[in-house]
Amino acid sequence: SSVSYSFVITNTGNADEAFGYTTSSANDWGLGGGAGDTASLAMGASETITVVHTVSESASSGDSDTITFDVAGGFPDGASRTATTTSEQTYGVSITLDESNQPSTLNPGDSFTRSYTVTNNGNGADSFSVFFDAAWMSGSSGTSLSLEEGGIGTSTLTITVPDDAVSGSSSTASASVAGGGGETAAYGPQPIAVAEETRSAEVSTDS
């Protein structure tokens, strides 16, 4: 993001004169329009110079930078003014599947977990809520995360195939996350399929 500052240069001398001006950034943030020369100004005349100050892409929330606008070489022979810009918080989040211990053959009654990685892509600390959409979900953990800038957290989904799931039946599982600033992200849905022609038997004695 950028901020525009207007600096007014006034000829306070007793003769017409053009003034050179420069702008510097203490932390090397972006600058636009901050160097040049005024037109020749009569006694008491003024010219307004607009300087665009752009927040560094690497700035964290709350970081600040001061620009110095110098005219005619700055103090003590010329004049100087300063302006300070503070970085506001930006928000971003992503969620990806990390690992799963799902067996290659899935039978009724089997349970497994899927771990999802949540990354805070904003420039400041944020809190996130993770939601799972899975008909066969039997548990979850790590659904409330507080992450620093660039921080990573883990949320886990537990799936249990119903005991009465028929051969070849299937379901899906998906994960989503929401954080500050209304930012959201999602992963899935991914299919979960029961092995076909799963066979089992039970023998009892009638006495």
Side-chain angles (χ1 to χ4, degrees):
S1 60
S2 300
V3 179
S4 295
Y5 295 100
S6 295
F7 297 93
V8 179
I9 300 173
T10 302
N11 181 2
T12 57
N14 62 357
D16 294 356
E17 187 172 354
F19 299 91
Y21 56 89
T22 60
T23 310
S24 60
S25 163
N27 295 317
D28 294 324
W29 287 11
L31 291 172
D37 297 285
T38 68
S40 181
L41 301 177
M43 294 173 52
S46 299
E47 183 174 325
T48 299
I49 306 299
T50 299
V51 179
V52 179
H53 194 198
T54 301
V55 177
S56 170
E57 292 183 358
S58 62
S60 297
S61 175
D63 286 353
S64 62
D65 180 51
T66 298
I67 61 173
T68 301
F69 185 79
D70 290 323
V71 178
F75 182 82
D77 299 321
S80 297
R81 287 291 185 270
T82 61
T84 300
T85 301
T86 300
S87 174
E88 296 181 348
Q89 183 159 356
T90 59
Y91 300 91
V93 64
S94 62
I95 185 168
T96 58
L97 179 64
D98 182 21
E99 61 181 5
S100 173
N101 62 358
Q102 179 177 341
S104 57
T105 300
L106 198 58
N107 298 313
D110 285 349
S111 292
F112 64 93
T113 59
R114 286 180 173 174
S115 296
Y116 296 83
T117 297
V118 176
T119 303
N120 179 3
N121 298 321
N123 69 349
D126 199 1
S127 295
F128 301 93
S129 297
V130 178
F131 307 92
F132 295 116
D133 184 5
W136 292 349
M137 180 174 70
S138 58
S140 63
S141 63
T143 55
S144 295
L145 302 170
S146 294
L147 303 176
E148 297 298 319
E149 174 186 356
I152 294 175
T154 300
S155 299
T156 302
L157 167 66
T158 301
I159 294 288
T160 300
V161 180
D163 291 334
D164 58 356
V166 300
S167 172
S169 61
S170 64
S171 185
T172 61
S174 61
S176 60
V177 59
E183 292 295 312
T184 62
Y187 188 93
Q190 291 180 293
I192 305 167
V194 177
E196 294 187 4
E197 298 182 0
T198 299
R199 297 184 178 182
S200 63
E202 180 179 288
V203 177
S204 61
T205 301
D206 186 10
S207 57

